[in-house]
Amino acid sequence: MSDSPGTPPVAPAKPAAADFEQAAAQGESKVAAFDASHRGGLARLQHFLHANPTMVPVLVLAVSIAVFGLMLGSRFFSPQTLNFILQQVTIVAIIGVAQTLVIITAGIDLSVGAIAVLSSVVMGQFAVNLGLPTPLAIACGLAVGLCCGLINGFLVAKLKLPPFIVTLGTWSIFLAANFIYSANETIRARDISDAAPLLQFFGTTFRIAGATFTYGAVLMVVLVIVVFYILNNTAWGRHVYALGDDADAARLSGIATTRTLISVYAVAGLICGLAGWALIGRIGSVSPTSGQEANIQSITAVVIGGTSLFGGRGSVFGTLIGALIVGVFAMGLRIWGTDPQWTQLTVGALIILSVAADQWIRKVSA
């Protein structure tokens, strides 16, 4: 029944205190607690690989070495085979270090191979044809690599253009500049050894325990160690990971994201210039047509090495191992006598499996 007009509404009767005591006595007496975690073996493996992403390529490399070792025996474990594998992966691994820096920021650089070749052409032209002192010619080649990286970084960070489109365009520009400046002519190895032997330094060999190594391989290892230390023990390195993991969160936390992104592309360009110097030592001459597939090969090494194409996760050690995996498969299949196309097929399958494994591992944080 409704109240009559002008009569204030009657408040509902409050339950007595005894009712509360009775309800409390009959209610759930357990304290709130989280469900106990009962992870299976697969889930524990998933969490372990998420915390240690480099272990995936390490396991693949160990298994591939064991399989080819059982199949080929002493032919695969000979010092000469080790030397061939190291020489084969040196340039790809050095350029892969540059590519890793960019991919950690959730970007990609398709121009790394063209930058390396353009830098090598500048070094060769300045030292042999223009007669500049070789150290000055090398410095000019490294400066060219640095400038190319700065151009990429400015277009990506300042103008907010997609890295894929930017570096696809600069790849074409740098490659064309390379052919125009060199007139598509190769500088012969004999001319370089007579006029500027320092350009071939990274092709010089030395022997340890019966195995032959090049200073290019030493450069590769030292570069990986230095960049690994910088990425994991400096503020710049942590900013690079934060930028790739979440750019907006990194900016809100006070990181100068634009400046950091430009510096990443600049450092990558400088490393590519260094790869151009090592490339001269690898092939002995300066050829504008060399290194045509370095960009694809570097991306292959980075992906197989466990660096996420979505940014924020990855390691240059993984890239080195990824390059070694490709080298081991290529050399093992060659010694086994298979057709070269089987190497491409195997590498393609490894790329797909690596991306699938990365997707599975990333579900831990989802």
Side-chain angles (χ1 to χ4, degrees):
M1 179 182 295
S2 61
D3 297 331
S4 60
T7 304
V10 179
K14 294 182 179 180
D19 296 337
F20 284 112
E21 294 294 338
Q22 183 179 5
Q26 295 175 351
E28 182 65 49
S29 59
K30 292 182 179 178
V31 178
F34 294 102
D35 293 336
S37 177
H38 299 289
R39 294 175 184 169
L42 195 60
R44 284 198 294 271
L45 175 63
Q46 190 180 20
H47 280 76
F48 173 75
L49 295 179
H50 185 266
N52 305 277
T54 309
M55 288 306 297
V56 177
V58 168
L59 292 174
V60 174
L61 179 62
V63 171
S64 59
I65 290 176
V67 170
F68 283 115
L70 291 174
M71 292 169 53
L72 304 173
S74 60
R75 288 187 297 165
F76 182 76
F77 287 116
S78 67
Q80 188 178 11
T81 301
L82 174 63
N83 177 36
F84 284 153
I85 292 175
L86 288 178
Q87 288 191 26
Q88 187 178 2
V89 305
T90 294
I91 304 301
V92 173
I94 293 174
I95 296 178
V97 170
Q99 190 71 264
T100 303
L101 291 174
V102 176
I103 290 182
I104 287 176
T105 65
I108 197 166
D109 192 342
L110 300 179
S111 66
V112 286
I115 295 175
V117 178
L118 179 60
S119 299
S120 71
V121 167
V122 169
M123 292 178 191
Q125 291 285 339
F126 280 22
V128 177
N129 292 341
L130 298 183
L132 291 181
T134 306
L136 180 58
I138 293 172
C140 291
L142 295 177
V144 167
L146 178 65
C147 291
C148 291
L150 281 172
I151 292 172
N152 284 335
F154 177 82
L155 294 174
V156 172
K158 280 288 187 182
L159 302 186
K160 309 297 183 186
L161 298 178
F164 183 89
I165 302 301
V166 166
T167 55
L168 181 62
T170 54
W171 166 75
S172 182
I173 293 171
F174 298 153
L175 203 60
N178 162 40
F179 288 126
I180 293 171
Y181 180 61
S182 66
N184 205 13
E185 293 182 354
T186 298
I187 302 176
R188 298 180 303 174
R190 179 182 300 176
D191 295 335
I192 295 176
S193 60
D194 290 341
L198 184 60
L199 290 179
Q200 299 172 330
F201 169 74
F202 288 117
T204 308
T205 60
F206 61 97
R207 296 178 66 84
I208 296 178
T212 303
F213 300 93
T214 66
Y215 286 106
V218 175
L219 169 67
M220 172 186 68
V221 174
V222 171
L223 181 67
V224 168
I225 294 173
V226 170
V227 175
F228 178 83
Y229 178 84
I230 291 174
L231 282 176
N232 292 278
N233 295 279
T234 66
W236 183 82
R238 306 317 301 173
H239 291 175
V240 171
Y241 278 106
L243 177 61
D245 191 44
D246 192 329
D248 292 332
R251 184 175 63 256
L252 292 174
S253 64
I255 296 176
T257 54
T258 301
R259 188 173 60 192
T260 302
L261 193 56
I262 293 176
S263 67
V264 167
Y265 280 90
V267 171
L270 180 62
I271 293 174
C272 289
L274 203 57
W277 185 9
L279 180 63
I280 299 175
R282 174 74 177 87
I283 63 177
S285 60
V286 174
S287 172
T289 59
S290 59
Q292 295 285 332
E293 299 180 352
N295 51 352
I296 300 300
Q297 292 172 339
S298 67
I299 295 173
T300 301
V302 172
V303 173
I304 294 178
T307 297
S308 174
L309 289 173
F310 300 97
R313 293 177 65 248
S315 166
V316 290
F317 269 121
T319 299
L320 174 61
I321 296 170
L324 288 173
I325 290 172
V326 176
V328 166
F329 269 88
M331 183 58 64
L333 292 174
R334 185 181 304 171
I335 296 175
W336 198 19
T338 60
D339 193 274
Q341 275 68 34
W342 281 102
T343 302
Q344 294 186 359
L345 189 150
T346 306
V347 171
L350 284 174
I351 293 174
I352 295 174
L353 289 174
S354 300
V355 174
D358 177 65
Q359 289 286 322
W360 178 66
I361 293 170
R362 288 176 68 89
K363 289 181 180 177
V364 171
S365 58

